[in-house]
């Protein structure tokens, strides 16, 4: 299966906001398997608690901008799953994964073999990684990795 990655950065985060969303287009859908999440900050961090959570989404995101997806192997075809940065979307609860961390430490989640989060081959459905700030404004950066 081809593997892809996409990076994100969100500055001045003060509450709950979508950092990056993977979602299916209206046509040419292919199931995706999220298997890698990296989240932290690229600025001098304060000693502050924050968290990232992963939720399902069911609509095309609005606001923000399209993300850039890169194949891990340049010989692979272009990704069919789309990425969107810093947008808003309708979210299906409950939270699938919560990553609490101190802003001084970068956190990485890697799926156990055979246990990735699935992006269903259903138009507009996907997964959204949200930043949740507890305290002062922060910058969150990171990346997602998935297979199609």
């Amino acid at each position: 299966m081809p593997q892809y990655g996409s990076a994100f950065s969100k500055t001045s985060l003060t509450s709950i906001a979508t950092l990056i969303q993977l979602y299916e287009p209206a046509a040419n859908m292919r199931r995706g398997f999220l298997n890698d999440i990296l989240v932290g900050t690229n600025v001098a961090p304060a000693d502050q608690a924050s968290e990232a959570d992963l939720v399902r989404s069911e609509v095309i995101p609005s606001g923000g901008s399209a993300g850039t997806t890169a194949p891990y192997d340049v010989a692979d075809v272009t990704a069919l799953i789309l990425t969107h940065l810093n947008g808003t979307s309708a979210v299906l609860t409950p939270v699938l994964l919560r990553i609490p961390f101190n802003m001084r430490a970068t956190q990485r989640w890697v799926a156990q073999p055979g246990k990735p989060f699935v992006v269903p081959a259903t138009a507009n459905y996907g997964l959204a990684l949200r930043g949740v700030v507890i305290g002062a404004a922060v910058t969150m950066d990171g990346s997602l990795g998935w297979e199609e």
Side-chain angles (χ1 to χ4, degrees):
M1 276 190 217
Q3 298 182 12
Y4 305 93
S6 187
F8 62 87
S9 182
K10 175 77 172 170
T11 59
S12 302
L13 184 62
T14 57
S15 60
I16 296 176
T18 300
L19 303 171
I20 185 170
Q21 182 175 345
L22 300 178
Y23 69 99
E24 292 285 356
N28 299 324
M29 293 169 279
R30 179 168 54 199
R31 288 178 71 183
F33 304 94
L34 179 64
N35 53 29
D36 195 353
I37 299 172
L38 180 71
V39 64
T41 187
N42 67 358
V43 297
D47 194 16
Q48 178 176 335
S50 294
E51 68 181 46
D53 64 25
L54 185 70
V55 293
R56 294 208 179 278
S57 60
E58 61 181 354
V59 298
I60 296 173
S62 61
S65 61
T68 301
T69 299
Y72 289 170
D73 181 344
V74 295
D76 283 338
V77 298
T78 302
L80 292 180
I81 291 177
L82 303 173
T83 59
H84 196 86
L85 306 174
N86 306 321
T88 58
S89 62
V91 172
L92 298 173
T93 53
V95 171
L96 301 172
L97 175 70
R98 181 166 284 135
I99 305 170
F101 64 101
N102 186 297
M103 290 304 292
R104 289 189 184 272
T106 297
Q107 296 296 311
R108 184 172 186 203
W109 172 87
V110 178
Q112 293 181 10
K115 306 244 184 238
F117 289 107
V118 177
V119 177
T122 304
N124 306 330
Y125 274 62
L127 298 168
L129 183 68
R130 303 183 306 176
V132 181
V133 175
I134 304 164
V138 299
T139 295
M140 286 191 182
D141 304 280
S143 61
L144 299 182
W146 70 94
E147 296 178 344
E148 293 182 8

